[in-house]
Amino acid sequence: MAELGVPGVSSQYDQYIERLVELAKVRRKPIEERLEQSKLRKSVWMELNNRLLKLEEASRQLYGLNNVFRDRMATSTNEDVAIVRPRRDIEPVDMQIQVKQIASADRFSSQPVDVTRTIEAGIYQFRVGDEEINVNFAGGDLRAFSEALNAINPEVLRSSVVQSHANQQTIFLESRLIGAQNAIDFEGKAKELAFDLGLITDQVDLTLRVESDSRSANAVGRLFDPKEELLLSSGRTVALAVEVDDDRIQEGAILRLQYSTQDRPRPNVAFLAAADRQNVDQALREGRLTPVTPDNIPYDLPVSSPNDNVFLRINDRLVALSSLANTAGEDGMIELSLDQFAGQRLQGIVLNNQDGVRDITINSMELSFPNLTDWTPINAVSRAQDAEFNIDGVDVTRDTNVIEDLVPGQTIELRSASDEVVDLSVKYDTEKATRAIEEFLFYYNWTVFHINAATTIRDNESILETGYYTTERDVELAKEILGLMQGDQQLNGLKSRMQSMMISAYPIGVDGEEQYIFANMGVSTRRLNSSASGADRLGYFNIHDQDRFEFALNESWEDVRDFFARAPLSQGVYETGLVRGRMPNPNPDPTKEEDQFLPTGLSATASTYTFGPRSVIATRSQQLDSEIKRHTDALTAFDEDLERKRQQWIRDFAAAENAQREMERLQSQIEGMNRSQNNR
């Protein structure tokens, strides 16, 4: 039997088969090109979707609850002293603040104690303001006691122990609540322990010292005995400095005065007016006329009435407290509560008699000061006190350094005391708004450039010179799609609508009677009075007048805000605007309130292309997916048919090759037979 040949192994006909396959593939190339064109067109829509989503995202910075026009920017000329944190939507404001003292908490440290020191078991009672902390301690060393205290209420009172020397340690006690009303106090065994550890001492004293005396310069600096009589003859002022370790006024502080008054004979005013200067001077010396405050009195007394006699020096200012008035020759007593000054520092008491009519005798004085407990801290890192500051000329006291109830919509944070007057300012955040508008313009131009590249005349590479790119891939994609979708109505229609919105005027203000355009803030396709360039004709918008742009943000903030999205009735309900507005729905669902209006603006236009399964891009992508599948199926069918033909060609050539070999074998036999016959 003849041996069969296998083409493709050793057959001389393989090259003929491959040639036939290549010739057949010529009909495959148009299908491949149509497939690649469909894929490229889909990439145009997918990239457009990506760019429109970026444009929508940039647009949302210009409208909505979190838009940049609601943001405010705060500045401080000294952030180490005070800052302001504004809330959104408040009006700009400027203020001046001087921080006299910040609110602080009690922080004490003990004297060094031996590391072997132990603390006996028992119940230790502490108090911070109205909070009670009771430590039921089982006994142990100082660290164990500190840990037991911290386990009770560390948000109110906590302690720590440090190794201060080789064989000594120190305990720190810290209140976590600031303000004068949150001072640390000790009771029972806790007080005994505090004395024992050297946290506190019982050496507490309050003294009054003569700070000034308009009638006796020699008295300045002397201690004043509140139980001794003090004659305030007409025209005399005596200032007493209060010297005490803790001069904070607490509720319950009382100033008591025992006094009497005596009328003085008054001169005939008409006579004195006609008398010579010597008689007038004599009357002034004798106190029968109200004198001018002498130069040796260091205070400008805020006398609102000639009868104001008692002043307090509190936080470096004088406050008129009371007048002393009773029937001449009779004793009087007055008890003055200082509760209204709780938390502030009592620095002095000023007694003044300037009415020129009577003499006043202070028989005795008593200052009942709750601060004068039976102890005072030895090493006070800080004391519980209220914040004291002056804002725009008004003195204010608060028990916190974070002030939220003083200026509407703003939080003032006090950081340190200073003599410096700090300027606090809250303004519109023009920097953030500038970045948002610039980002919006970039993504708008980025989107328009993509449409320009896809719809331009084929091979018009000049359009690439004025392109907007973010990556190298943008450049390659623009070259690939150049002129690919020339004449596409949906792409050209989108570009036309977007450009129309960018050059349109939009109502501003509550009533919407005025109109505003992009050019009012220096944004246009070209500079004012300049000729149009290629980029201008392509519809790219930029800030061409920086001065006008900055002026618009600084001077016409609300107009710029309304231009992008105007909400005259309520926040979030936008009537008109470049990026967001609304219009009545011609076919609303009466059961749905939100269906009564349709959104307008650039963001709404972009959404019709990108949002939902029925959007333009989704629809075009589905159509292109069908094309791609059809072309792919056609290629698959072509390849399968070509493969069937190839196999048939292999079989046909194999049969031909075998037939040839059989003929060659028969010919060889015949030739052999002929040679045999010839040899006979």
Side-chain angles (χ1 to χ4, degrees):
M1 181 176 178
E3 181 180 356
L4 291 177
V6 182
V9 176
S10 59
S11 174
Q12 59 180 321
Y13 298 106
D14 285 353
Q15 56 182 327
Y16 300 124
I17 295 173
E18 294 304 321
R19 178 60 179 164
L20 289 172
V21 171
E22 290 299 323
L23 289 173
K25 284 184 177 180
V26 172
R27 292 184 290 110
R28 188 182 193 276
K29 193 170 185 62
I31 304 175
E32 291 178 343
E33 290 177 350
R34 287 194 294 270
L35 176 60
E36 290 304 314
Q37 289 288 304
S38 296
K39 288 181 177 179
L40 267 179
R41 282 197 293 272
K42 182 178 180 181
S43 72
V44 170
W45 290 105
M46 291 298 96
E47 182 62 21
L48 178 62
N49 186 75
N50 174 53
R51 299 192 183 202
L52 286 175
L53 288 174
K54 289 288 188 181
L55 179 58
E56 283 186 75
E57 184 179 341
S59 298
R60 280 194 292 272
Q61 298 183 76
L62 303 173
Y63 78 95
L65 296 179
N66 295 318
N67 75 77
V68 295
F69 296 106
R70 300 184 64 194
D71 293 333
R72 300 296 181 262
M73 178 175 57
T75 59
S76 169
T77 55
N78 191 338
E79 294 186 354
D80 293 332
V81 175
I83 63 171
V84 58
R85 293 196 297 269
R87 298 176 192 146
R88 308 188 77 193
D89 291 325
I90 68 168
E91 291 299 316
V93 65
D94 295 312
M95 66 192 90
Q96 290 186 322
I97 187 170
Q98 181 184 13
V99 182
K100 299 177 181 179
Q101 69 179 38
I102 62 172
S104 58
D106 274 340
R107 297 176 62 203
F108 307 152
S109 64
S110 72
Q111 301 286 58
V113 297
D114 195 276
V115 294
T116 62
R117 173 65 185 274
T118 60
I119 299 174
E120 65 180 12
I123 297 177
Y124 294 81
Q125 298 174 300
F126 300 85
R127 179 180 291 276
V128 177
D130 296 331
E131 297 285 340
E132 292 185 0
I133 298 96
N134 297 319
V135 183
N136 191 354
F137 187 55
D141 60 16
L142 195 58
R143 289 189 181 276
F145 180 81
S146 176
E147 293 173 358
L149 174 59
N150 291 337
I152 304 300
N153 195 348
E155 299 301 319
V156 174
L157 181 66
R158 71 180 183 184
S159 65
S160 60
V161 177
V162 298
Q163 194 81 18
S164 54
H165 298 87
N167 297 313
Q168 292 181 317
Q169 54 190 358
T170 300
I171 186 170
F172 286 87
L173 198 62
E174 177 184 10
S175 166
R176 302 295 293 166
L177 305 178
I178 64 175
Q181 301 303 315
N182 294 312
I184 295 176
D185 199 4
F186 308 89
E187 298 178 7
K189 291 181 70 67
K191 183 178 291 185
E192 296 175 6
L193 178 62
F195 277 120
D196 197 27
L197 294 176
L199 277 166
I200 61 177
T201 179
D202 59 359
Q203 296 179 2
V204 181
D205 197 8
L206 181 148
T207 57
L208 299 175
R209 190 178 299 275
V210 178
E211 193 173 18
S212 68
D213 187 338
S214 62
R215 290 295 174 86
S216 176
N218 294 330
V220 175
R222 295 180 182 177
L223 291 178
F224 176 78
D225 186 352
K227 296 180 180 180
E228 293 185 0
E229 289 187 351
L230 172 65
L231 175 61
L232 283 178
S233 56
S234 180
R236 187 179 186 185
T237 300
V238 177
L240 304 174
V242 176
E243 298 179 353
V244 63
D245 289 337
D246 184 3
D247 60 2
R248 296 164 303 157
I249 300 174
Q250 295 187 7
E251 290 186 3
I254 296 174
L255 176 63
R256 297 183 182 87
L257 297 173
Q258 294 279 352
Y259 68 96
S260 60
T261 63
Q262 301 83 34
D263 286 338
R264 298 176 62 87
R266 301 188 66 182
N268 185 287
V269 177
F271 168 76
L272 286 175
D276 57 20
R277 181 65 193 174
Q278 182 177 359
N279 291 335
V280 176
D281 292 341
Q282 180 65 28
L284 286 171
R285 283 195 298 272
E286 294 176 357
R288 292 180 287 111
L289 286 179
T290 303
V292 177
T293 304
D295 293 337
N296 65 330
I297 299 178
Y299 309 115
D300 182 13
L301 296 177
V303 180
S304 58
S305 166
N307 295 324
D308 286 335
N309 306 118
V310 182
F311 297 82
L312 297 183
R313 186 157 61 91
I314 297 175
N315 294 349
D316 299 319
R317 73 184 192 281
L318 281 172
V319 179
L321 193 61
S322 180
S323 62
L324 305 177
N326 66 334
T327 303
E330 294 184 1
D331 293 339
M333 193 275 285
I334 189 169
E335 186 175 281
L336 304 172
S337 171
L338 308 186
D339 286 355
Q340 60 180 311
F341 308 113
Q344 303 183 56
R345 295 164 48 228
L346 176 59
Q347 299 164 306
I349 301 170
V350 179
L351 302 171
N352 173 59
N353 182 13
Q354 297 292 320
D355 66 2
V357 176
R358 58 184 177 162
D359 293 336
I360 302 174
T361 300
I362 306 298
N363 304 112
S364 67
M365 179 190 308
E366 179 183 357
L367 179 59
S368 177
F369 221 41
N371 299 40
L372 297 181
T373 59
D374 56 354
W375 62 269
T376 189
I378 294 178
N379 300 312
V381 179
S382 65
R383 296 305 309 270
Q385 64 182 20
D386 292 335
E388 298 169 5
F389 57 99
N390 181 287
I391 183 166
D392 289 339
V394 178
D395 290 324
V396 182
T397 300
R398 289 291 188 274
D399 60 0
T400 177
N401 293 317
V402 180
I403 319 299
E404 297 181 332
D405 61 346
L406 191 60
V407 182
Q410 302 181 55
T411 299
I412 299 173
E413 181 181 329
L414 310 179
R415 294 183 167 180
S416 65
S418 174
D419 293 332
E420 178 185 357
V421 176
V422 177
D423 293 325
L424 300 178
S425 179
V426 175
K427 300 183 181 300
Y428 296 127
D429 197 342
T430 56
E431 295 179 4
K432 193 171 183 178
T434 297
R435 292 193 299 270
I437 295 173
E438 288 175 342
E439 184 175 331
F440 167 78
L441 291 174
F442 173 82
Y443 283 117
Y444 172 86
N445 292 332
W446 192 46
T447 303
V448 170
F449 167 69
H450 180 70
I451 298 174
N452 286 337
T455 58
T456 189
I457 302 173
R458 284 189 176 274
D459 302 325
N460 180 22
E461 294 191 359
S462 62
I463 201 171
L464 304 178
E465 299 174 0
T466 56
Y468 285 78
Y469 311 111
T470 57
T471 64
E472 289 297 323
R473 171 58 185 156
D474 285 353
V475 181
E476 297 302 320
L477 178 62
K479 292 179 180 179
E480 289 177 0
I481 67 173
L482 197 63
L484 179 66
M485 304 184 72
Q486 180 183 354
D488 188 285
Q489 293 183 354
Q490 288 180 315
L491 284 179
N492 287 320
L494 172 62
K495 176 184 173 182
S496 177
R497 286 195 298 274
M498 291 172 61
Q499 289 181 332
S500 176
M501 292 179 188
M502 293 287 281
I503 63 175
S504 295
Y506 296 92
I508 59 174
V510 176
D511 52 17
E513 293 181 356
E514 296 184 40
Q515 300 284 314
Y516 201 89
I517 61 175
F518 238 149
N520 291 142
M521 65 180 82
V523 177
S524 61
T525 57
R526 65 176 182 270
R527 293 184 182 276
L528 188 64
N529 299 324
S530 66
S531 59
S533 65
D536 300 331
R537 288 190 293 269
L538 292 172
Y540 303 135
F541 284 78
N542 292 286
I543 302 172
H544 286 299
D545 191 333
Q546 191 66 38
D547 291 340
R548 177 177 289 192
F549 181 79
E550 293 176 0
F551 179 84
L553 287 181
N554 288 317
E555 304 298 332
S556 306
W557 178 266
E558 291 86 357
D559 295 344
V560 175
R561 177 199 63 200
D562 289 352
F563 167 76
F564 286 105
R566 184 176 68 95
L569 301 179
S570 63
Q571 180 64 41
V573 181
Y574 297 99
E575 299 293 339
T576 57
L578 169 62
V579 297
R580 198 66 170 183
R582 68 176 186 173
M583 66 177 184
N585 187 351
N587 299 303
D589 184 342
T591 64
K592 297 180 180 179
E593 182 179 353
E594 66 276 9
D595 200 43
Q596 305 307 303
F597 293 91
L598 294 176
T600 61
L602 261 177
S603 61
T605 299
S607 294
T608 62
Y609 275 72
T610 62
F611 182 74
R614 297 183 180 180
S615 66
V616 173
I617 293 177
T619 302
R620 291 297 296 266
S621 295
Q622 291 171 3
Q623 295 171 353
L624 288 167
D625 284 340
S626 298
E627 282 187 20
I628 292 170
K629 184 179 185 305
R630 186 170 64 252
H631 296 321
T632 303
D633 291 345
L635 283 177
T636 301
F638 182 90
D639 290 342
E640 290 175 350
D641 182 63
L642 182 60
E643 182 60 24
R644 283 193 299 270
K645 290 181 178 180
R646 184 175 180 277
Q647 293 301 324
Q648 183 61 47
W649 290 332
I650 290 174
R651 287 192 296 270
D652 291 344
F653 276 104
E657 187 174 26
N658 287 334
Q660 181 181 0
R661 289 177 180 176
E662 181 62 21
M663 291 177 62
E664 289 175 351
R665 186 183 66 79
L666 291 175
Q667 182 180 358
S668 178
Q669 287 181 346
I670 293 172
E671 289 177 351
M673 292 175 60
N674 290 335
R675 283 194 298 271
S676 297
Q677 291 178 356
N678 291 334
N679 290 334
R680 292 179 184 175

